Structure formats: C-alpha cells, structure tokens
Amino acid sequence: MALASSRNGAVRGSMRPISGANSSNLRSSSFKSRIPSSAPAPRRNSTSASLGAADNGVPGRVRVAVRLRPRNADESVADADFADCVELQPELKRLKLRKNNWDTETYEFDEVLTEAASQKRVYQVVAKPVVESVLEGYNGTVMAYGQTGTGKTFTLGRLGDEDTAARGIMVRSMEDIIEGTSLDTDSISVSYLQLYMETIQDLLDPTNDNIAIVEDPRTGDVSLPGATHVEIRNQQNFLELLQLGETHRVAANTKLNTESSRSHAILMVHVKRSVVENEDPVSNEMENSSHFVRPSKPLVRRSKLVLVDLAGSERVHKSGSEGHMLEEAKSINLSLSALGKCINAIAENSPHVPLRDSKLTRLLRDSFGGTARTSLIVTIGPSPRHRGETTSTILFGQRAMKVENMLKIKEEFDYKSLSKKLEVQLDKVIAENERQLKAFDDDVERINRQAQNRISEVEKNFAEALEKEKLKCQMEYMESVKKLEEKLISNHRNHENGKRNGEVNGVVTASEFTRLKESLENEMKLRKAAEEEVSKVKSQSTLKTRSGEGEDAGISRLQKLLEDEALQKKKLEEEVTILRSQLVQLTFEADQMRRCLDRGAPGNSYSGTDSLPSRHSQARESVNGQKAPFATLCEQVGLQKILQLLESDDANIRIHAVKVVANLAAEAEANQEKIVEAGGLTSLLMLLRSYEDETVRRVAAGAIANLAMNEVSQQLIVDQGGISLLSLTAADAEDPQTLRMVAGAIANLCGNDKLQARLWSDGGIKALLGMVRCGHPDVLAQVARGIANFAKCESRATTQGVKSGRSLLIEDGALPWIVQHANDEAAPIRRHIELALCHLAQHEVNAKEMISGGALWELVRISKECSREDIRSLAHRTLSSSPVFRSEIRRLGIQF
C-alpha cells in the first residue's frame, strides 16, 4: 500500500508537536496523498521555483520516514533502569518523545519503522517509489539523516555480502534499475563521491580529490563534470564499485561509533532510457503521395537517482573528538546546519534560501524545492541519554515534510536514433527502387526481344513465301516460253505445209497466230501482276518492321485497358453492395413502419438516442424470429467490406455505408463490439474530422451515438479525441437533425462515471449547452438528457467521496438554462431537467448558487406538482435534508 500511495505527492499542513492530552486532535499521516481541509497548501517560494520546475510539473512533497535503532550492548547496560526515550505507534504513523516521566510530545511521519523492521521493508516504503519514478524519467533523491551511530550507513550502504537480507537501499535500488531497463537500448552509469571537509572527492579515483561544482546558468541544474562515470552492465559490477568506494571513504573511531563516517557519501546513478512517442495519423492522400513511412518519434529520458548517506551529527563532549577529528566534526555540523537552514527557508516560504552556504546544499538544490522526488529517512536511537540529539533529528524530519517539489520528466528527442532509422529506411527505399527499376528494364528488354523475334519470324515467312512465288512464276514463264516455241515450230511447219495446201490452211494459221499472240500478252500481264505482288509483299514486310517499334505503346495501352476494367469491376461491386444495403434498409424501414402502424405509434427511421428502446426491442424480436435484416446483410456482404465503403470516393456510397453501420450498431450490442474491433469507430471519427458535407456528418454522428451506448466504445471515443470532434461539429452544424445526433452521442457519454472530468475538460458540456441555440425540441430533449446524466454521475461521485467542490455544470453556466426549462411544455425536456435539479440540490456546496439562480422555487414546485412520484419524492427529500434550503424556505415563508 505504501508503494502505490507514495507515487502521488500531496501537500500537507504544518506539523507541530502535540501533547498526549491533545491526542484526539492528531491528524493521520502516511505515504497516501491526503490534504487536510484545515491546512492550506504551502506556497513555493521564488528561489525554489527557479530550480528547474516547469509549468507542466507534478507537485510532490518530500516524504519522511523515521527508523528506530535497537539498543546496543553499551546502552543495554548503561540504560538498564531507564525506559526508551521514544515510543513508536507504527499503525498510526506516530512517534511519542518522552520529555520526562509525565510529559510526552507526539509527532507524525509518513512512515514509522520499528527496530524490528527489515531492510526489505525499509526499501519498499522509502526508496522503491523514488526508484520507479527515476525509471519513468524523473530525478529522485533518497537521503539518510541522524545522529552518529544510529544506522544511516547500515540502512543505505549495507552490501549484504554474508546475509542478502541485510542489503541496503543502494544495492536494492540498483537491482530494480537493472531489472527495469534494457541493456540494448538503455544505459546506466554511476559516480561515487564523498564531501569531506567541504571538498568533493571521487571515491572511485582517490587522486581526483577536488571536484568542482558546475551550475547551468539557464536552468540552474548542478553537475560534476570532473567526477568518474562508470557504466554498469550487471549487479556484480556495481557491488565491486561500492566495495572500492567504501575502502576510500573516511571513517574514525569515536565514543559513539567505532566506525563513524567522517564524510557525506553521495552515490549518483544516471539512467538514460529510450522511449517512443506515437505519431498522429496522417491523411490517405499523404500516405498515397509519399513513398516514405513516417516513423515514430524516438525520445531519450535522462534521469538521476541521488543516494546520500549523511555523516552523523554529534556533540563533541559525547563523541570525544579532538584534534583533526574535532575539525572534521565542525565541518560536518556546519554542512548539516546549512542544510537545515535551507529546508527551514523553503518550508517557511522565505524569499531567500541560503543554498551557497555549503557545497552539500548546492549538490542537493534539486532535492529540496527542485524537480526531484525526494524521500528522507531519519534514524534515531532509543537511549534517553541522547534525548537532545533525538529531538533535533525528529524536528529536522518534521521541517523537511513541509517542503514541496515540482516533479518534471527530463526528456529530449533522440535525433541520432531518428537519423539512423531514416537512413536505414532511405537505403531500403533506394534498394527497392533499384530493384523495381531493374525489373522494369528487364521487362522492357524481354518485350523488345519478343517483338524482335516476332518481326524476324514474320520477315522469314514473307521471304520464304516470296521465294516460292518467284520460283512458281519462273517455272510458269519457262513453261509458257517452251509452249510458245513449240507452237512457233508447229506454226512454221504448218506454214510450209500451207503453201502446199492452199489458201484455206493459211487462214487457219493466221487465226492460230492471233490466239498465240493473245496468250503471250496474257502471260506478260501475269508476270507484271506477279512483280506487283512481290512489291506489295516487300511493302508489307516494311510495315511489319515499323509496327514492332510501336509494340511497347500497344502493351501500355493494353495495361491501361486492364486497369480500367479492374476499376470498373470494383465500382460495380461497390454499387452491388450499396444496392443490397439499400434494399435491406428499405425492407427494415418498411417492417418498422408496419410495426409502428400496428402499435398505433409513429415510426422513427433512424437510430437516434430517443428511439434506443424500440430499436433494441426490434433486435430482440429479430432474435426470437428470423435474423435482423442488417445482420443478414453483414453475413452476406461482410462487415469489413462495409467498413471499406466508408472510405469510398463517392459521397452517396459513404452515406449509405454509414447508415448501414449505424443500424448494425443499433440492432445488438454484439454488433457494436464487432464494429469497434474491425476499426469502424476510428473510420467514423475520421469521417467526422475530414468531411464538411452536412449529410456525411449527420449520419456519422448518428452512428457514433449508437456506438456510444457501449462502455468500452465510450472509452475509445474519448481516447481518440471524439469529444473534441463532436464539440467542433456541434459548433459548425446548423441542421437540427445533425445537432440531435451530436447531442445524443454526448448525452450517452455523460452517463459514464469514469469520463466526467475528461468530458468537462474537452469541452463536452459547453458544446452541449451551445446546441440549445437551435431551439428544436428534439435537440433540447437530448441536451436535457445529457445534463441529467452528468448531474446524476456527479452526484454519485460526490456521495462516494471521489469528487468535492461545486458542480461542473454550474461552473460552465448551465444553471440559468436548467431553471428556465424546468417547467418546459415538452414532457421529455421537463422530466430530464427536473431530475437534474434534484441531483444538483443533493449537495450543500451547490445550494447558495441554486437559491440565487431561482432553482429553489422550481424545486418546491417539483416536490408538489411533478407528475412522477419518484421525482416528486426525491425533490421533497432533498429540500427536507438540506439546512440551507430549509432556512431559505422559512425566511421566504414558503408553505412546504
């Protein structure tokens, strides 16, 4: 419990010793965060505020625990007849200091550890919360203060070589730090120093015996650049460094302690952790237009854990110090005195803090009044002989509890890591581009080779055909010439015979010659035709060669045609899906209208918040009978396909897809979970953010209103900035239906107890009140419902003690509108406003404003005239139980 509660730093009031007689007035104190109502929070002075605290810091008070050392052998003998000077009450976080046998003083601490407390418990309640803060990026300090010989070094620096249970805070802190970091991405380094006689010396390098303190003039941060920094890889390495440092630390034998530390030991652990900051989502156009994937922003958190083992305060006459030891004691007491003065100045809000009086205070300026989470353990002894030292130690711890720090995470961008990631990504993109370019060149070369082979094949075929045709023509020509020669010889013979045979044969020979002449002319024409055919074939071959050069362009046109076909197919699929959804929606609306007509009530075609009961009843009817129409559509088409249509370029397709998602969300709660798991909520919020079309925003807001009925969906809506988007939509929209959907969504969110603060801080209540400008009854009804839901959750939180202070509705100025519409003619508006007034009146802190705003008269009217018995009884009970309301009723003479 101490672990979890110590993470929140609450400011406590001033602590003063309380006598035993006044023990009833004690205030409980623990590591839990509580602010007493009677004690004002201390104001941080200007000096402490300049130590590096930022505006976005987290307040954290210095936590103080007290540990009692058991009696040693000398005290058991010397004080055998005397009781311990202190009495511990660990269960009440109290310590009683005996001044004498009859008088005691009581003090409260954040934790009281008895002499039986184990080292593990001391670490868990004192140091572990600080170590966890260091792992988160905050600076942290754990310091031990007390009289010499009371166990400071045992508590902090015990190595536990022989008994692991005796390990001190230093060893256990490093174990948790190593466990909470990664050796691959994080780094741990330590410096081990001692402040001896106002000189800072390096325990890891004894030759480095005068280290200078360097302060950053801009931030005031303190650093020791001359100190040795050793990187830690494992726990054994750290233990060896501690052992080396302990051998160089100055110690001496005094009457109070055989090994009294004569210097302040300071162990500084520097932790560097790499974290990743998520990027905001970018638009689809940016994703499509860029080949780069924007990486997450790498951050480096640098934190520092300071473990301080202060030298013990001592009185010279008791410790027996003399000579050089006396000078050491003076130096120790002076530095501790300077530290006490600084703590007093910070606790009392002094305008001046004497930080420069000692090097110890300069080193610890971030621990008290700075930006570090600080835990202090004060160690005391039981012996009554040292009552004065014990009292001084207790008062030191009490003053330290008044100091408040302003915690701040130390982080910066890891530009080297980001540059390395971008270089790797650029190399990948260049390599991918080269691969794609090579593949493209290979494709072009392959296509050219195929085209060249095809052209060569065509030329070869044409050459063969041409040769065959040429041989054929030659053979025909030779055959014709041969025939002509034979006919010529035959004609010559006939001519010789004709001379003998007379005139008749001559006529026959002349006619035969004419026929032969015509045949020859025909042969000549055929040869000419063959030559023309050859020329034609050559021209065709040339054309084929030229056509091969344009084949690449043809392939590109073919690819474009294929892409156009694929796009057309996708559009047709979208149109089919939309037509199916329209058919199912028309069927659903017709069934709804038929049921409404059968019941004699008007139907509501959209899933607004007022129609939620009827829509769920219809979903139950569909389960008892056949499946709901939109569930059937989801099985036929697929939910993922419907959600993809939300990103369609066609506005009508987007609108229909959003309507289908809205109706699916209204049918059953199981559908809402499926829609959210599939990313539908994110898509709807993106539509609300990206599009200014009134119809798109209206249907998107309606779908979000349906999803906002589920508690898991409500949390996701808030986490993804849904409240801000709904508020912006409410400010821009003028359409009553759009405003009704937005108001319904915000009203559903108002009913979640866990989202009250976030809803108010993101402007949800102001957006709800801003929509009353519309004046439409349906919009006002949703606004009234949201106010009633918010007032009910707020009342429940106040009753449970989770919230205090006046209502956030009153803070945002909602009371005048609530009073104005408390007796509205519209029953839904009036009913919700009456409930809101009753819930606001249940807490006294709101009573005065409600009386001055005229709400008292409305509460009296509600208690008498409200048509609903439960609201009337609630109003009457509220007025009767409130002293402020009863007093005002008596003053005004109202009959009640």
Side-chain angles (χ1 to χ4, degrees), residues 51-52 214-223 365-366 371 410:
L51 299 181
V214 177
E215 298 183 9
D216 190 331
R218 183 175 58 87
T219 63
D221 293 339
V222 175
S223 62
R365 67 180 302 169
D366 194 44
T371 62
K410 314 287 186 179

Side-chain angles (χ1 to χ4, degrees), residues 41-225:
R43 175 180 58 83
R44 301 178 72 250
N45 58 72
S46 59
T47 304
S48 62
S50 65
L51 299 181
D55 294 337
N56 58 348
V58 178
R61 180 177 58 79
V62 174
R63 301 293 173 177
V64 181
V66 60
R67 187 181 191 185
L68 176 64
R69 172 183 57 76
R71 287 193 178 193
N72 55 32
D74 294 338
E75 291 172 345
S76 298
V77 175
D79 301 331
D81 297 332
F82 301 93
D84 292 347
C85 66
V86 292
E87 177 185 350
L88 304 185
Q89 296 176 333
E91 66 280 357
L92 300 177
K93 318 292 189 202
R94 292 178 182 170
L95 178 149
K96 289 186 177 181
L97 178 64
R98 291 189 179 92
K99 299 174 65 176
N100 46 49
N101 291 335
W102 58 87
D103 191 10
T104 62
E105 290 181 349
T106 303
Y107 300 90
E108 293 180 352
F109 288 92
D110 294 304
E111 194 68 38
V112 175
L113 303 168
T114 65
E115 62 271 21
S118 65
Q119 291 281 76
K120 180 178 181 180
R121 169 158 175 77
V122 172
Y123 170 74
Q124 288 179 338
V125 300
V126 175
K128 188 164 186 176
V130 179
V131 173
E132 291 177 347
S133 297
V134 170
L135 291 175
E136 291 176 357
Y138 298 94
N139 287 344
T141 302
V142 179
M143 186 169 66
Y145 177 91
Q147 182 189 8
T148 181
T150 54
K152 299 183 298 302
T153 303
F154 176 85
T155 300
L156 253 71
R158 185 78 169 185
L159 298 181
D161 295 333
E162 300 176 356
D163 183 8
T164 57
R167 290 170 298 162
I169 290 176
M170 289 182 179
V171 178
R172 295 177 185 268
S173 298
M174 183 56 67
E175 289 177 351
D176 282 354
I177 291 175
I178 293 176
E179 183 179 357
T181 55
S182 172
L183 294 178
D184 297 331
T185 59
D186 307 333
S187 65
I188 308 169
S189 62
V190 300
S191 299
Y192 200 11
L193 314 168
Q194 70 173 354
L195 179 60
Y196 176 71
M197 300 286 288
E198 282 301 299
T199 302
I200 300 176
Q201 301 176 358
D202 196 334
L203 292 177
L204 302 180
D205 183 9
T207 60
N208 190 7
D209 58 359
N210 190 9
I211 301 174
I213 300 176
V214 177
E215 298 183 9
D216 190 331
R218 183 175 58 87
T219 63
D221 293 339
V222 175
S223 62
L224 302 172

